[in-house]
Amino acid sequence: MLQLKTPLSPAESDLLLKCLSDMENDLRDRRTCSKQDLAKQTTIASAKQKVASHVYDSFYRDEITHMVFALDSL
């Protein structure tokens, strides 16, 4: 498990949650529903839950990866 060295500020958390929600919605809107898409949805939902509850010490590598990709969409 990975952990963030510095907790996110409230503004950073809100922005990350918005980006993750956008990414999650984009996956839901796709016409195809592959196993890979379902795995992404699960990972994104888990990351969102941890960020929303301010848990920063138990991220899986895939969760961090999806958070980076979500922010990259800005």
Side-chain angles (χ1 to χ4, degrees), residues 4-73:
L4 299 180
K5 291 184 179 184
T6 306
L8 299 175
S9 71
E12 291 169 331
S13 291
D14 291 343
L15 179 63
L16 180 54
L17 287 171
K18 181 194 175 309
C19 291
L20 287 168
S21 292
D22 291 346
M23 190 178 205
E24 190 175 42
N25 291 335
D26 287 342
L27 279 172
R28 279 193 204 137
D29 291 343
R30 289 184 183 178
R31 299 278 179 195
T32 61
C33 193
S34 69
K35 287 183 181 181
Q36 185 179 13
D37 287 344
L38 291 174
K40 281 182 184 179
Q41 286 178 340
T42 302
T43 304
I44 292 168
S46 176
K48 277 179 54 177
Q49 178 189 17
K50 290 176 184 177
V51 171
S53 61
H54 306 288
V55 174
Y56 301 117
D57 63 349
S58 59
F59 285 107
Y60 290 100
R61 188 172 307 276
D62 287 346
E63 292 170 335
I64 296 284
T65 301
H66 289 303
M67 289 189 292
V68 169
F69 283 132
L71 289 172
D72 190 46
S73 67

